[in-house]
């Protein structure tokens, strides 16, 4: 039986892409993943994740990485929300990779309802879809997906750093990120394309700048 583990990296940050990975593996190979030390990507160092990724790809029957840029997220959020955006890509992964079973790290608390939403546009109605909160901690195939997604996102962030200057992790709780965004908007009218302009953090920083500009003329 082939199982598809699905997880993402970069769901919450104000900068950079959302990266999703579908990791397809025969259940007989799960001991190999355990031997490699697969677990939730957040429990591994960046160096360990990078070393493990090519080995995970070798063990996989197949895998798929999908990136949703900040610009795409902003555009899609005009007519959708992040959960729906993820669901559509999960459905694409399932229809393309054709697993017997799917295990998803669910972004929603009601995991049964989330499984139904994903199944709605899956061609094979015989496939079993299991959604769990923190599935990356409990299922090796989801842990593998989380590691690959994290490595791919980190690579994207490093590339953006080279292009635009160091802005930290891209998360709203990162003081370096906030300082970078405040400095950028101070010098420019708009944020660059890698910033999710629809995020509250970006809107708040821009509004703060506009208010300061208005006060100068009062």
């Amino acid at each position: 039986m082939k199982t598809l583990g699905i997880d993402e990296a970069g769901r919450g940050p104000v900068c950079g892409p959302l990266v999703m990975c579908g990791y397809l593996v025969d259940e007989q190979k799960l001991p190999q993943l355990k031997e490699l030390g697969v677990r939730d990507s957040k429990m591994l160092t960046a160096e360990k994740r990078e070393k493990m990724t090519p080995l995970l790809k070798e063990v996989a029957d197949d895998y798929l990485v999908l990136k949703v840029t900040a610009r795409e997220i902003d555009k899609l959020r005009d007519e959708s929300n992040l959960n729906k955006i993820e669901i559509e890509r999960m459905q694409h992964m399932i229809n393309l990779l054709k697993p017997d079973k799917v295990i998803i790290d669910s972004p929603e608390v009601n995991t049964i309802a989330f499984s139904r939403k994903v199944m709605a546009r899956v061609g094979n109605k015989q496939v079993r879809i299991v959604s769990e909160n923190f599935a990356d901690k409990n299922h090796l195939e989801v842990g593998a997906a989380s590691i690959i997604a994290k490595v791919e996102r980190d690579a994207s962030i490093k590339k953006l750093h080279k292009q635009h200057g160091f802005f930290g992790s891209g998360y709203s709780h990162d003081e370096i990120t906030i300082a970078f965004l405040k400095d950028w908007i101070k010098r420019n009218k708009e944020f660059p394309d890698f910033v999710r302009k629809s995020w509250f953090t970006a809107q708040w920083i821009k509004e703060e700048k506009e208010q300061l500009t208005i006060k100068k003329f009062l």
Side-chain angles (χ1 to χ4, degrees), residues 9 11 17-18 25 55 196 206 217:
R11 178 181 170 83
L18 164 69
V25 64
L55 301 174
R196 301 179 193 180
K206 192 175 180 185
F217 293 97

Side-chain angles (χ1 to χ4, degrees), residues 18-185:
L18 164 69
V19 180
M20 299 180 65
C21 178
Y23 187 86
L24 184 70
V25 64
D26 192 296
E27 287 191 343
Q28 292 182 345
K29 295 181 181 178
L30 290 179
Q32 293 181 52
L33 296 183
K34 190 173 184 179
E35 193 175 325
L36 286 172
V38 170
R39 60 188 70 188
D40 172 11
S41 63
K42 293 184 285 295
M43 299 173 70
L44 299 169
T45 63
E47 184 182 8
K48 183 68 175 175
R49 289 193 296 263
E50 287 179 15
K51 284 183 178 179
M52 196 181 290
T53 291
L55 301 174
L56 293 177
K57 290 177 179 179
E58 284 181 18
V59 174
D61 286 78
D62 207 344
Y63 69 93
L64 181 63
V65 174
L66 299 178
K67 295 181 183 180
V68 190
T69 65
R71 192 174 186 178
E72 287 177 287
I73 290 171
D74 287 338
K75 184 179 178 181
L76 290 167
R77 284 192 76 194
D78 287 339
E79 56 196 47
S80 187
N81 60 46
L82 202 58
N83 285 5
K84 289 180 181 177
I85 292 168
E86 285 193 30
I87 287 169
E88 287 176 3
R89 278 146 187 80
M90 288 175 184
Q91 291 164 339
H92 175 68
M93 287 177 173
I94 297 167
N95 288 331
L96 191 65
L97 297 176
K98 303 186 186 328
D100 302 301
K101 180 182 175 182
V102 183
I103 306 176
I104 300 169
D105 188 23
S106 175
E108 297 182 3
V109 176
N110 190 334
T111 55
I112 295 173
F114 188 79
S115 293
R116 289 200 201 101
K117 291 175 188 176
V118 175
M119 180 62 89
R121 291 188 180 179
V122 169
N124 177 15
K125 297 303 178 184
Q126 302 304 311
V127 67
R128 185 183 169 211
I129 296 179
V130 178
S131 298
E132 288 184 15
N133 301 128
F134 311 110
D136 48 0
K137 292 181 180 178
N138 302 320
H139 299 276
L140 293 166
E141 49 275 85
V142 184
S146 77
I147 291 167
I148 294 173
K150 178 62 174 165
V151 167
E152 291 284 348
R153 169 162 163 96
D154 286 349
S156 295
I157 295 299
K158 285 178 183 176
K159 191 174 180 180
L160 289 170
H161 284 162
K162 287 181 180 178
Q163 294 171 340
H164 303 282
F166 186 73
F167 56 80
S169 66
Y171 281 83
S172 299
H173 59 72
D174 188 335
E175 292 180 4
I176 296 172
T177 299
I178 297 302
F180 176 92
L181 294 176
K182 285 185 175 182
D183 182 64
W184 182 285
I185 208 67

